[in-house]
Amino acid sequence: MLELLQEGFSAVFSFQILILITLGVAVGIVFGAVPGLTAVMAIALSLPLTYTMGPAAGLSLLVSLYIGATSGGLISAILLKIPGTPSSIATTFDGAPMMEKGEGVKALGAGIVFSFIGTIISIAALMFIAPWLAKVALRFGPHEYFGIAIFSLTLIATLSTGSMIKGLFSGVMGFVFATVGIAPVDAIRRFTFDTPNLNSGFEVLTVLVGIFAISEIIKVAESVRAERKAAVASVSMKQIKGFGFSMKEFIGQLPNSIRSSLIGIGIGILPGVGAGTSNIVSYIVAKKRSKYPEKFGKGVIDGVVASETANNAGIGGAMIPLLTLGIPGDAVTAILLGGFMIHGIQPGPMLFMSQGPLVYTIFAALLLASVMMLVLEFYGLRIFIKLLAVPKHILLPIILVLCVVGAFGLSSRIFDIWTILLFGLIGYGFVKGGIPAAPFIIGFILGPMAETNLRRGLMLSDGNFTGFLTNPICATFLVLAALSIVWHVYGTLRSSKKAGTADLLRS
Amino acid sequence: MESHKKKELVIGVVMLGAGLVYLFMTMNLPRKGFVDAAFVPYVLAFMLCLLGILQLIASRTTASSEIDAESDSTPADYATVLKTLGLIVLYAALLKTVGFLLMTTLYLYLQFIVLTPASQRVKHVSYLVIAVIASTAIYFLFRHGFDLMLPAGFLDL
């Protein structure tokens, strides 16, 4: 493994890739920091830049954006008291009070350093677990993949926020849109309305850009005219030694950060829940375990550390199912998957066999991007704070144009621009109806995987459905899927009596 | 909470409607056996309809237990949303004939004006300058830097 990693590093230490990683991390931080801009947008907008690059360069850029954007949320969480991304919600709980007490730099420094530590621990977990899991997954056939796809779909639909009916609806709708085009196995054209443009179905990227970027722009149009300029608090960086906190504080936070990393990795591996959940869970656990829980929410460093370590630890966690099984856990990993496929790379167990060096190049890029994040985010803080002040009514139209360029660039058709608009409207409708969008994406990606493997599995067992139940791995996943629905229904019935997590957070 | 109930009911109707439309389209697919290209669409169509019906039932029973996240202070400004959508449609429709440079400049300029907060003045000159710089930079970066053939239209640069 060390040899492969060494090879990976020598690939990453080329002038071009170093520049790309630096730029990727910087742009990612901006997208993470500005509320309303997301990691998905950052990756979607930068994808057309990678079309002509080699896979190593292109993928290094994409993972750097991912790392930067996950961490960047802490800047606005502490300075604006608004989480830049859902993964920094818990950072505001203690980050904002620290800022008020005049410990802004300390909060930022701790957030950045522990983001780095969380990322590194999770990448280490990724490097140890992924090759092993890939070896196991090599033996998987259609039955197993069908089970995993159904399990992941159910999990994301039931775990996403709000009502389970809406979550499941969103997942099924995603699957429905994936049935457009030529059917697997017998190649019948379905729902194409005789337009050749639809023969190959909708592109994953146009769906993602539409649902997550265009819909966001439409949504902002609702409120932007009523907006007032947000006051960006300023921090003085003069006379700051190191990262703004003492060595003693650092050592005192180590147990907290290791626990938070494990929570982040564990939640990150599961499809459907990621950094948006793990930062809050980890915050609650840190508070419960603390010797001074009453200080939480009033500005203790522990809160910032718990939240920021956990959300960045989700990166390595989420990459595990993505690289080994080709299963994305959330929207960001879904768009990464899209980026992989543009470069002709199909994530899955075979990736570790056929493209071993590339996998380790990705690992090396992840590690280097984390170091870059640590340095850039702290020492470039002032520039990022300035960018927070760029008005939205200027920023969003430019982002829309870049989305259009990206969609058009996929295969030089205006048709793809209409597609992002269509999915933008669907995404906007989902927002209005309180329907989560993430299950839609996962349904869209995993749907064809489920259908193809269902058809193949049935062919292997001569049209007999029991093959899916007698296969132990498939049966386990199907039972788990059913259990997650039952558990959720039971939980909803109980929570109508008890007050939900909202109270838990407030207490 | 009455409006919340009504909204949930409308969502249920839309969900059921989507299911029925998809079911109808699925019935037009050619059939070759029990498990064929139409099998999964049938399963999906029935699931959509079932979820729609469940949503309709749920909208009648769950009255006020859910807190409506949408009901925050500022009311939605649908006029701006419609103007924005109109601009995007026009942009996509004319992009090929007019060309990327001109159309993007025009789109950006108009979209900046539409989205300017009511409390701020519209700065025509700086909007125009930003629109020209942004579209030119994107055009040349992609067309010449990354070989992405954005439509040239009237101006072939």
Side-chain angles (χ1 to χ4, degrees):
Chain A
M1 195 172 100
L2 277 177
E3 269 172 45
L4 278 164
L5 192 62
Q6 214 170 10
E7 243 177 80
F9 269 111
S10 59
V12 168
F13 276 112
S14 75
F15 182 69
Q16 185 205 15
I17 296 185
L18 280 178
I19 295 277
L20 285 173
I21 289 180
T22 315
L23 281 177
V25 171
V27 172
I29 293 173
V30 173
F31 273 75
V34 179
L37 304 191
T38 59
V40 178
M41 273 191 203
I43 298 177
L45 298 183
S46 310
L47 264 175
L49 297 175
T50 72
Y51 291 165
T52 47
M53 290 175 196
L59 296 179
S60 300
L61 175 65
L62 299 183
V63 297
S64 313
L65 286 161
Y66 182 22
I67 289 188
T70 312
S71 167
L74 73 94
I75 297 179
S76 46
I78 293 168
L79 293 181
L80 295 179
K81 299 172 198 167
I82 306 168
T85 54
S87 43
S88 297
I89 292 173
T91 312
T92 57
F93 298 166
D94 276 294
M98 280 180 83
M99 183 73 210
E100 277 165 17
K101 284 199 289 185
E103 296 180 332
V105 179
K106 193 185 196 178
L108 287 164
I112 293 166
V113 169
F114 284 96
S115 280
F116 169 74
I117 291 177
T119 318
I120 292 292
I121 295 182
S122 79
I123 296 169
L126 167 71
M127 284 168 48
F128 283 105
I129 298 174
W132 169 80
L133 192 61
K135 251 181 220 149
V136 176
L138 259 186
R139 274 176 266 146
F140 285 4
H143 295 95
E144 284 88 350
Y145 273 110
F146 175 75
I148 293 171
I150 294 293
F151 168 72
S152 309
L153 257 171
T154 332
L155 206 59
I156 191 168
T158 51
L159 289 179
S160 52
T161 47
S163 91
M164 185 177 72
I165 297 174
K166 288 178 182 172
L168 285 175
F169 175 79
S170 175
V172 175
M173 273 308 269
F175 199 157
V176 161
F177 276 96
T179 58
V180 174
I182 291 172
V185 181
D186 48 15
I188 284 177
R189 251 181 274 152
R190 296 186 295 194
F191 317 116
T192 56
F193 303 101
D194 293 324
T195 356
N197 275 333
L198 280 176
N199 274 353
S200 54
F202 294 107
E203 288 271 357
V204 182
L205 286 170
T206 58
V207 178
L208 274 161
V209 169
I211 293 263
F212 287 100
I214 305 293
S215 71
E216 183 68 32
I217 294 167
I218 303 174
K219 200 175 84 194
V220 168
E222 262 184 15
S223 57
V224 72
R225 278 180 55 81
E227 209 159 85
R228 281 162 210 291
K229 273 189 183 167
V232 183
S234 63
V235 285
S236 164
M237 301 283 285
K238 281 174 194 160
Q239 293 169 339
I240 297 295
K241 283 181 201 154
F243 286 98
F245 57 94
S246 67
M247 196 62 192
K248 203 180 142 209
E249 282 170 309
F250 176 77
I251 292 168
Q253 291 304 325
L254 278 180
N256 179 8
S257 73
I258 289 171
R259 184 180 55 228
S260 305
S261 299
L262 293 178
I263 293 174
I265 296 168
I267 292 182
I269 294 176
L270 291 177
V273 278
T277 313
S278 66
N279 76 93
I280 296 175
V281 172
S282 145
Y283 182 86
I284 293 173
V285 173
K287 187 176 170 180
K288 272 192 186 157
R289 282 296 180 98
S290 172
K291 285 180 193 127
Y292 38 86
E294 72 284 352
K295 284 192 190 164
F296 274 69
K298 290 176 191 149
V300 281
I301 195 170
D302 310 51
V304 175
V305 170
S307 165
E308 282 306 317
T309 317
N311 68 24
N312 269 65
I315 294 176
M319 297 282 285
I320 293 174
L322 177 74
L323 288 178
T324 56
L325 299 168
I327 291 185
D330 55 11
V332 190
T333 36
I335 199 154
L336 271 181
L337 179 71
F340 277 71
M341 296 206 283
I342 280 185
H343 290 281
I345 296 154
Q346 175 67 53
M350 281 310 288
L351 184 66
F352 286 77
M353 306 297 135
S354 57
Q355 304 256 26
L358 183 68
V359 173
Y360 282 86
T361 307
I362 297 173
F363 291 164
L366 280 166
L367 288 168
L368 194 63
S370 328
V371 177
M372 212 56 109
M373 181 259 289
L374 178 69
V375 177
L376 280 180
E377 195 165 358
F378 194 73
Y379 294 101
L381 199 57
R382 254 190 273 178
I383 303 166
F384 294 121
I385 293 172
K386 282 234 170 64
L387 284 168
L388 280 180
V390 174
K392 270 198 185 150
H393 65 276
I394 302 291
L395 206 55
L396 287 171
I398 295 177
I399 289 179
L400 183 119
V401 168
L402 288 170
C403 289
V404 165
V405 171
F408 180 82
L410 278 173
S411 41
S412 299
R413 324 181 272 190
I414 297 287
F415 172 79
D416 287 319
I417 301 176
W418 292 115
T419 321
I420 58 169
L421 188 56
L422 167 76
F423 285 102
L425 285 174
I426 292 175
Y428 180 63
F430 275 21
V431 171
K432 289 269 109 183
I435 301 172
F440 184 93
I441 291 299
I442 305 301
F444 184 82
I445 291 171
L446 294 186
M449 183 170 164
E451 184 178 10
T452 312
N453 286 304
L454 174 76
R455 300 285 303 275
R456 280 194 198 142
L458 283 175
M459 282 199 287
L460 284 179
S461 51
D462 295 320
N464 198 341
F465 280 96
T466 49
F468 290 97
L469 296 174
T470 50
N471 179 306
I473 293 175
C474 174
T476 311
F477 277 113
L478 291 179
V479 168
L480 284 176
L483 278 180
S484 85
I485 292 184
V486 172
W487 183 67
H488 191 90
V489 171
Y490 176 71
T492 324
L493 291 179
R494 265 179 62 127
S495 72
S496 54
K497 289 176 194 165
K498 263 194 332 187
T501 42
D503 279 327
L504 202 67
L505 286 175
R506 247 178 267 134
S507 62
Chain B
M1 271 302 134
E2 227 13 71
S3 68
H4 172 72
K5 221 173 179 178
K6 205 169 171 185
K7 188 183 140 195
E8 292 300 305
L9 191 77
V10 173
I11 295 168
V13 172
V14 173
M15 282 162 73
L16 186 59
L20 289 175
V21 169
Y22 189 63
L23 182 65
F24 175 74
M25 279 167 31
T26 304
M27 288 195 297
N28 288 332
L29 290 176
R31 301 243 37 182
K32 278 185 183 168
F34 180 59
V35 178
D36 59 5
F39 175 74
V40 168
Y42 267 115
V43 174
L44 295 176
F46 282 117
M47 281 178 75
L48 284 183
C49 294
L50 179 71
L51 288 166
I53 293 166
L54 284 175
Q55 170 70 22
L56 286 177
I57 297 169
S59 73
R60 291 174 60 92
T61 51
T62 57
S64 54
S65 64
E66 266 179 74
I67 306 155
D68 199 359
E70 286 288 306
S71 64
D72 42 17
S73 51
T74 44
D77 175 6
Y78 288 112
T80 311
V81 172
L82 282 179
K83 278 185 218 161
T84 303
L85 282 177
L87 279 177
I88 302 176
V89 168
L90 262 169
Y91 178 50
L94 297 177
L95 188 61
K96 192 146 203 175
T97 27
V98 178
F100 184 85
L101 261 180
L102 286 178
M103 203 54 221
T104 304
T105 308
L106 187 67
Y107 164 76
L108 283 177
Y109 174 64
L110 294 176
Q111 184 75 79
F112 290 157
I113 295 175
V114 167
L115 291 181
T116 305
S119 58
Q120 288 177 36
R121 274 190 322 118
V122 173
K123 298 172 203 127
H124 289 283
V125 180
S126 45
Y127 286 3
L128 206 58
V129 171
I130 298 172
V132 170
I133 293 177
S135 49
T136 322
I138 296 171
Y139 182 77
F140 283 100
L141 177 70
F142 281 97
R143 197 170 165 105
H144 298 292
F146 292 97
D147 293 324
L148 209 161
M149 283 300 149
L150 293 165
F154 303 142
L155 283 176
D156 194 9
L157 295 173

